[in-house]
Amino acid sequence: MKKNNLIIAFSFMISCLVQAQDKRPDPQPPVDTYEKFKVGVAGYTFAHFGIDTALATMEKSDVHYLCIKDFHLPLNSDAATIAAFHEKLKSKGVTGYAVGPIYMKTEAEVDRAFEYAKRVGVKMIVGVPNYELLPYVNKKVQEYDLKYAIHLHGPDMKLYPDADDVWNNVKNLDRRMGMCLDIGHDTRNGKDPVADLKKYHTRIFDMHLKDVTAPTKQGYSVEVGRGIIDFPAFVKMMRKVGYSGILSLEHERNMKAPFAGIAESIGYIRGVIRTTKTK
């Protein structure tokens, strides 16, 4: 009898242990879930890979927002191709929130970009128009009711080297004309992206996340957290100004083998988001 009782007790204990294991808590959602802003990925990060690889990498990193690059969804895509593309994103829990960067040197290229954004169904273009095209782009913004975020490129290009330059070119235009603040390129042009976010936040519609080694042209991209940018201060400023857009990782190091760097960068910025949060 005692032996039977021991067997029953032992079986009950094993059952409880199994049930306890079955009730292990799920992983917590990404910390940016509770912020006004969200962490995303700029499509250029996957310049050497197709959309399937991009989405698989995003799924592993628990990232759900993608700025669509035209090498994943060509500018001449028809309605069926675009619908299939969105279904593929949806299957991985990803939203394509904007298109670009798209370079524009003629009015015809501006027209093509706006028609493309309309077909894709996004409300923002990340663009790089020649300076003389800005009045025409402004007209198109009003016609299509889209936000237009000018991507700055640091000291590597004469067009829009930093946030000051973009601001000076859009401040008297439609309020839907703004910028994509590339944190790394802004820094490489000798600017402070924390200060620029504070100054120009009303016209910052998108941001590209990267880190760099120096505030000069010789500075180059590294994994987020390995360079000189003060990310705790930057995240705090995002909260202070109420930034509600996407902070999209644009990973530009080891681009033919970027996956470890992507994971490290996403993990680092989410660690900063968590540790700078105040109750």
Side-chain angles (χ1 to χ4, degrees):
M1 187 69 177
K2 288 182 178 180
K3 184 177 180 181
N4 289 338
N5 288 341
L6 285 172
I7 292 172
I8 293 170
F10 182 73
S11 298
F12 178 74
M13 181 178 69
I14 294 298
S15 176
C16 289
L17 287 171
V18 170
Q19 290 180 18
Q21 288 180 340
D22 289 343
K23 293 179 181 179
R24 288 176 178 173
D26 292 328
Q28 295 184 30
V31 293
D32 47 294
T33 301
Y34 308 106
E35 301 284 351
K36 288 183 177 180
F37 62 86
K38 299 292 181 283
V39 173
V41 174
Y44 182 69
T45 294
F46 300 104
H48 297 283
F49 301 92
I51 190 62
D52 290 335
T53 299
L55 292 176
T57 305
M58 293 177 67
E59 183 178 35
K60 291 176 182 177
S61 302
D62 209 359
V63 175
H64 302 280
Y65 300 92
L66 175 69
C67 187
I68 301 166
K69 199 74 175 81
D70 55 4
F71 47 63
H72 287 146
L73 185 63
L75 291 169
N76 61 356
S77 296
D78 59 20
T81 301
I82 292 169
F85 183 86
H86 282 308
E87 280 301 312
K88 182 168 286 192
L89 266 59
K90 185 179 179 181
S91 72
K92 297 296 185 180
V94 172
T95 297
Y97 72 91
V99 293
I102 302 175
Y103 294 80
M104 304 171 198
K105 296 181 180 180
T106 66
E107 290 187 0
E109 290 178 344
V110 174
D111 291 342
R112 182 177 66 169
F114 275 84
E115 277 300 309
Y116 172 67
K118 180 180 178 181
R119 293 197 310 277
V120 174
V122 296
K123 296 297 290 181
M124 181 166 62
I125 296 172
V126 179
V128 189
N130 282 6
Y131 288 120
E132 68 271 13
L133 290 172
L134 285 171
Y136 190 72
V137 173
N138 191 62
K139 176 183 174 183
K140 287 295 179 179
V141 161
Q142 295 169 340
E143 178 183 344
Y144 284 79
D145 187 24
L146 296 178
K147 286 184 175 179
Y148 192 96
I150 296 175
H151 186 286
L152 58 91
H153 277 89
D156 297 324
M157 289 179 59
K158 293 182 179 179
L159 283 173
Y160 314 111
D162 54 40
D164 289 338
D165 185 73
V166 177
W167 170 260
N168 288 332
N169 279 283
V170 302
K171 63 183 179 181
N172 296 321
L173 300 177
D174 191 286
R175 294 189 65 82
R176 288 163 289 192
M177 292 284 290
M179 75 178 77
C180 172
L181 176 60
D182 187 301
I183 301 165
H185 287 324
D186 199 47
T187 300
R188 290 177 63 243
N189 212 52
K191 304 297 182 178
D192 177 357
V194 179
D196 285 344
L197 174 59
K198 182 178 181 180
K199 284 190 292 185
Y200 304 133
H201 65 91
T202 59
R203 294 291 186 98
I204 295 174
F205 304 147
D206 192 30
M207 291 200 285
H208 280 177
L209 169 66
K210 58 169 66 86
D211 207 348
V212 294
T213 60
T216 66
K217 187 173 183 177
Q218 285 68 42
Y220 57 90
S221 290
V222 290
E223 292 81 0
V224 176
R226 294 199 187 195
I228 64 169
I229 295 176
D230 186 347
F231 284 103
F234 193 84
V235 169
K236 290 176 183 178
M237 185 57 68
M238 290 170 69
R239 293 192 183 106
K240 184 174 181 179
V241 301
Y243 178 70
S244 59
I246 310 297
L247 181 64
S248 277
L249 175 67
E250 189 174 48
H251 186 72
E252 294 181 327
R253 188 180 188 198
N254 299 329
M255 292 188 72
K256 292 186 178 180
F259 307 108
I262 292 169
E264 180 178 336
S265 297
I266 293 293
Y268 178 86
I269 196 64
R270 282 183 166 155
V272 172
I273 292 169
R274 178 181 293 278
T275 56
T276 57
K277 186 74 172 179
T278 56
K279 294 182 179 180

